[in-house]
Amino acid sequence: MTGPPVRKAIFPAAGLGTRFLPVTKAQPKEMLPLVDKPTIQYGVEEAIASGIEEVIMVTGGGKRAIVDHFDRSRELEHYLEERGRSDLLHILAEIDDLSNQVDITYLQQKEPRGLGHAVWTARRLIGDEPCAVLLADDVILCDDRPVLKQLIDAHRTTGATVLAVRRVPRNEVSRYGIIETGGSKGGIHEVVDIVEKPSADDAPSDLAALGRYVLLPAVFLELDRGEPGAGNEIQLVDAIKRTIGTFPVVGVEFAGDYYDTGTVPGYLRANLTLAMKREGLREELAPLLRELLDGQPDRL
Ligand code: UTP
């Protein structure tokens, strides 16, 4: 099935990040690093590798750090040039290269009224075409095919709104939106319902929706209604749910390593894991970890 291509991606980054206070008091949590790169840069790299041409960042009050990150810093370049630090200059060049490959537009969500509202803020820039949504604090790394590309490919074959889904242990279903599936084929599940944060007994499956979406324009028509849901916030999942039955919705069981950096334990776990995977850091960290665990042999 071929429809219009998915060219635009929305990055909602206007949440208050209260689970990360105090560090999020004056900067978005999307600028917190995984080792040495902000999570939002991982997301932008994924979007570009998936064929996205336009990025729309929806930010709140403290957007400066994100704008500055994707902008050139001539002062820093000059400083590094004078000192012959080509090793560091190439890191700046990589960021510059990203902003040359996509147009980045910044929009302000005037009040944090929920993820659905943040996405709706971008409606005029999206127009009448399908678009992607990436939540930067869900970092998903895949060497073969970026997760967003996996979703876009599923959208091309099904013409559906697409959710990224992953199997989670039963005792964790209450932290996620869980999909109820109709038929399934090759890791693509027809979605017949989505239940927000169900108890283990009430969960219709163990397939949890994570922070990657391809949305049909119909979802924006639902968001137009501005109906608040859980927590009195406008929920993206509610709008997607209301399109089920009229428009196809599928969940893609994606391939890739998933890191939830939106909570302090998840963030620390992601940093440790990626640091241990990196040559040069692993050699320093491994003895330290062994030393720290020495007093707790049961954890080894
Ligand atoms: P979260 O549920 O993680 O909320 O938002 P949060 O406000 O960022 O963090 P906590 O719960 O207070 O710690 C999911 C995504 O939706 C964006 C966030 O920036 C994050 O990427 N979001 C959420 C908005 O852009 N606007 C909102 O009003 C709410």
Side-chain angles (χ1 to χ4, degrees), residues 29-43 69-70 95 136 139:
K29 71 175 169 187
E30 289 75 9
M31 281 304 294
L32 295 181
L34 270 195
V35 186
D36 48 12
K37 197 196 282 184
T39 57
I40 196 148
Q41 188 177 332
Y42 286 90
H69 183 73
F70 289 102
I95 302 177
V139 175

Side-chain angles (χ1 to χ4, degrees), residues 178-196:
I178 302 292
I179 62 166
E180 181 177 343
T181 62
S184 300
K185 198 174 160 195
I188 299 182
H189 306 272
E190 182 199 354
V191 177
V192 296
D193 197 8
I194 313 169
V195 185
E196 264 305 323

Side-chain angles (χ1 to χ4, degrees), residues 154-155 158 160-165 179 188-191 248-252:
H155 167 77
T158 61
T161 286
V162 187
L163 311 174
V165 298
I179 62 166
I188 299 182
H189 306 272
E190 182 199 354
V191 177
V249 180
V250 299
V252 168

Side-chain angles (χ1 to χ4, degrees), residues 12-19 29-30 109 112-115 118 135 137:
L16 296 179
T18 53
R19 285 171 290 180
K29 71 175 169 187
E30 289 75 9
Q109 184 189 15
R113 294 181 58 200
L115 172 58
L135 306 190
D137 53 9

Side-chain angles (χ1 to χ4, degrees), residues 55-111:
V55 159
I56 299 153
M57 304 262 183
V58 181
T59 62
K63 68 170 179 174
R64 250 199 86 114
I66 297 182
V67 179
D68 288 348
H69 183 73
F70 289 102
D71 200 1
R72 274 182 84 167
S73 171
R74 292 186 197 276
E75 199 185 331
L76 184 56
E77 280 172 26
H78 183 64
Y79 177 92
L80 295 173
E81 267 158 20
E82 275 194 333
R83 284 157 184 80
R85 296 299 307 268
S86 51
D87 55 329
L88 298 178
L89 277 165
H90 97 92
I91 296 177
L92 298 190
E94 270 173 21
I95 302 177
D96 196 37
D97 203 34
L98 293 179
S99 31
N100 287 333
Q101 291 183 66
V102 276
D103 293 328
I104 306 183
T105 306
Y106 298 89
L107 289 180
Q108 184 146 16
Q109 184 189 15
K110 294 195 178 73
E111 276 176 88

